[in-house]
């Protein structure tokens, strides 16, 4: 199994319960195909770098999973068809960066100690 990271930008006009249900549905989709759920990071509502489909804000979610390529291809297909998704990107990541983000502030302190 390979580590993946998926960034999903959803329509910011949706309520949080709808967003949580959609994310859970996508996680269950890949788990049904043998993937292992990883770190889930909900960034929340943020300004888009540029307007997409007349929208200036998006709701950002970043999820990680260990999976075979076929499960991620299916997730990509489903996200491409989902009306609530503005943009998404599925990336295969190195194993050493898989997991919760490291705290940059602690790393800087450790280097100077």
């Amino acid at each position: 199994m390979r580590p993946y990271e998926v960034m999903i930008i959803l329509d910011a006009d949706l309520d949080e319960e709808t967003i949580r249900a959609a994310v859970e549905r996508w996680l269950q989709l890949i788990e049904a195909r043998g993937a292992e759920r990883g770190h889930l990071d909900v960034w929340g509502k943020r300004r888009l770098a540029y307007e997409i489909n007349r929208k200036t804000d998006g709701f950002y979610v970043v999820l990680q999973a260990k999976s075979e390529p076929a499960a991620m291809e299916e997730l990509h297909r489903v996200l491409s068809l989902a009306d609530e998704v503005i943009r998404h990107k599925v990336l295969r990541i190195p194993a050493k960066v898989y997991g919760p983000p490291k705290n940059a502030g602690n790393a800087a302190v450790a280097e100077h100690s």
Side-chain angles (χ1 to χ4, degrees):
M1 290 215 276
R2 301 173 179 169
Y4 289 89
E5 185 169 86
V6 183
M7 173 169 275
I8 307 167
I9 306 173
L10 296 109
D11 187 344
D13 295 335
L14 298 171
D15 62 88
E16 284 198 41
E17 186 55 41
T18 304
I19 291 170
R20 288 186 200 286
V23 170
E24 186 60 33
R25 192 172 61 245
W26 297 324
L27 286 169
Q28 288 175 0
L29 171 88
I30 60 173
E31 285 176 333
R33 286 165 173 74
E36 295 175 10
R37 184 184 301 216
H39 181 70
L40 176 65
D41 197 3
V42 178
W43 293 6
K45 188 175 178 179
R46 301 219 175 168
R47 173 97 34 214
L48 297 172
Y50 54 89
E51 192 174 291
I52 302 173
N53 300 334
R54 298 190 183 132
K55 302 218 180 274
T56 57
D57 293 321
F59 193 95
Y60 285 70
V61 176
V62 179
L63 61 93
Q64 292 182 345
K66 285 190 178 178
S67 169
E68 294 300 328
M72 286 299 148
E73 289 168 9
E74 178 63 12
L75 178 63
H76 170 69
R77 187 188 74 77
V78 168
L79 292 174
S80 297
L81 297 172
D83 291 334
E84 63 265 36
V85 175
I86 297 173
R87 287 281 193 276
H88 74 281
K89 188 72 173 178
V90 178
L91 296 171
R92 183 170 170 212
I93 59 173
K96 64 183 176 187
V97 298
Y98 183 79
K102 314 298 184 267
N103 189 341
N106 289 342
V109 171
E111 288 176 15
H112 297 291
S113 296

